[in-house]
Amino acid sequence: MLSATRAFTLKFSLPSFAFSTKTCMESPPRSPKANIFNSSCRSPSRKADAKDTGYASITLQEWQGWGTTSPVPAKVLEVVEDFKLLEKANDAQMTFGGSGGKLQGEFKIQEDKKHRATYEALGDSEKKIQFFSARQIACRVLGSRDYLCQKCWLPLEEDCMCSKVKHSSLWPGVRFWLYMHPKDFLRQNNTGKLLWQVFGVQSATLCLFGIPEHEEIMWNAFKLAGKDKVWCLYPNKNAVTMSVYDAFGQGFSADLEHSPTVKNEDKTLNFVLIDGTWSNSAAMFRRLKEQTKSVWGEEDLPCISLVTGASTMHKLR
């Protein structure tokens, strides 16, 4: 299997990276020695300036600076406005810290009560997904501001790796869609962000789960391309999972090599790469299948794998 796809994998291999020797771990150190290198990986407590009423606003420039091409999601802005109103009503300042820009302190206690009540009041499952995603993303953007580098999502002062990334061009006629769970958005140890750092946001596009603006952009591209041009990199146990070689044959790499430019969007091959934990990815894949059925009348979303064997789930990860 590996040799059969050699031509494909060599063409798609990423340039080498010189990574920082620091590794940020989300779990607390298990021994006193771990504190030696863990200090730079701790996300310090960060407070919003109560006097700065514009602090919580997310501009288009800031939003797209995190690696997205969409307008600022309406639901995310709505959550941010709710934060600001809650600050005034309870005289409690927003404080963020820990991994993922988590809310802390008295404001967190008040906000937890409000968001749980709001979530339970939403009877529609789709509205619940959208609210959950928007709240996660709003917290992460506000909590990471002026702390994480917008491009590599690592602490600006200690671990920014942008100078180590080598930019490259993706094959013409191929587009990656990084379908990311909100809990993986702005995670310091996330590696999916490397795709658009290397290939650019037009070749490797971020699509956040549960964000209508993102999912609409992705599915509009899929509709234009047609179902036969959409593939998901996922080990689907309920369907025949094909390798790249099986799906496209020997002529695939040759065809792309002789296509220096792509004139029509409908000729583009779209590859969906699911970025989330295994439990979250299962929900994300179900959502993709549901939308596939809504668009094309059947939920059979073609899947491809990189390797075969009993340990596919772990090797793909």
Side-chain angles (χ1 to χ4, degrees):
M1 166 59 205
L2 193 58
S3 60
T5 59
R6 179 178 176 82
F8 182 87
T9 54
L10 287 178
K11 289 291 183 178
F12 268 126
S13 60
L14 296 179
S16 60
F17 300 96
F19 291 103
S20 168
T21 56
K22 300 176 183 177
T23 303
C24 295
M25 303 297 290
E26 291 194 305
S27 58
R30 299 184 180 183
S31 66
K33 293 181 179 180
N35 288 318
I36 296 175
F37 60 84
N38 193 60
S39 59
S40 66
C41 297
R42 290 175 180 169
S43 178
S45 177
R46 302 178 292 283
K47 291 186 177 181
D49 187 351
K51 296 180 181 179
D52 183 5
T53 57
Y55 174 89
S57 299
I58 300 176
T59 65
L60 178 64
Q61 181 179 5
E62 180 186 10
W63 173 247
Q64 294 187 343
W66 293 111
T68 175
T69 60
S70 78
V72 187
K75 285 291 182 182
V76 172
L77 290 177
E78 185 179 313
V79 170
V80 169
E81 288 302 314
D82 286 343
F83 284 171
K84 294 166 69 176
L85 292 174
L86 193 61
E87 271 192 318
K88 293 179 180 179
N90 294 276
D91 194 26
Q93 192 174 358
M94 277 185 280
T95 304
F96 300 90
S99 60
K102 295 178 181 178
L103 286 168
Q104 294 183 334
E106 180 63 26
F107 184 86
K108 177 185 184 300
I109 297 174
Q110 299 299 325
E111 198 279 331
D112 275 346
K113 294 179 181 178
K114 183 176 180 180
H115 103 257
R116 289 178 186 278
T118 301
Y119 184 84
E120 291 174 1
L122 296 172
D124 183 81
S125 60
E126 179 60 25
K127 290 181 180 179
K128 286 186 175 183
I129 290 175
Q130 292 181 12
F131 175 72
F132 165 81
S133 297
R135 180 180 174 276
Q136 283 282 333
I137 291 165
C139 287
R140 288 165 187 271
V141 171
L142 297 181
S144 301
R145 180 181 288 172
D146 298 327
Y147 172 62
L148 297 184
C149 170
Q150 285 192 291
K151 293 185 181 298
C152 69
W153 300 357
L154 293 174
L156 278 165
E157 297 182 1
E158 302 97 346
D159 300 306
C160 178
M161 56 167 278
C162 291
S163 62
K164 306 297 183 182
V165 176
K166 296 180 181 179
H167 302 284
S168 183
S169 297
L170 190 60
W171 271 355
V174 170
R175 187 173 185 180
F176 290 149
W177 295 88
L178 192 67
Y179 194 37
M180 182 181 292
H181 194 274
K183 288 189 174 181
D184 278 86
F185 183 57
L186 302 189
R187 281 174 64 106
Q188 295 178 38
N189 62 352
N190 180 280
T191 53
K193 64 202 173 190
L194 287 170
L195 283 174
W196 63 79
Q197 275 195 282
V198 173
F199 297 123
V201 294
Q202 297 302 325
S203 296
T205 305
L206 172 64
C207 178
L208 289 166
F209 171 84
I211 298 299
E213 290 86 349
H214 276 204
E215 293 181 326
E216 183 178 356
I217 290 172
M218 183 173 72
W219 279 98
N220 282 343
F222 292 173
K223 292 174 187 176
L224 184 63
K227 188 182 176 184
D228 63 329
K229 299 268 190 318
V230 179
W231 297 82
C232 184
L233 182 63
Y234 191 76
N236 182 11
K237 294 181 179 180
N238 298 322
V240 177
T241 303
M242 292 184 287
S243 68
V244 172
Y245 183 81
D246 294 333
F248 303 105
Q250 292 180 324
F252 177 65
S253 59
D255 290 343
L256 290 178
E257 281 183 347
H258 292 90
S259 302
T261 59
V262 178
K263 297 180 180 179
N264 300 318
E265 285 290 332
D266 59 356
K267 299 297 184 182
T268 301
L269 291 174
N270 297 274
F271 294 93
V272 183
L273 313 179
I274 296 179
D275 190 0
T277 62
W278 283 119
S279 58
N280 288 335
S281 67
M284 296 167 74
F285 185 61
R286 285 196 302 269
R287 188 171 177 83
L288 287 172
K289 292 197 297 181
E290 289 170 359
Q291 188 63 20
T292 300
K293 186 174 182 178
S294 175
V295 173
W296 288 303
E298 52 185 15
E299 64 176 24
D300 179 25
L301 181 63
C303 294
I304 56 173
S305 64
L306 297 181
V307 294
T308 58
S311 60
T312 297
M313 296 287 283
H314 297 89
K315 288 185 178 180
L316 181 59
R317 180 66 175 175

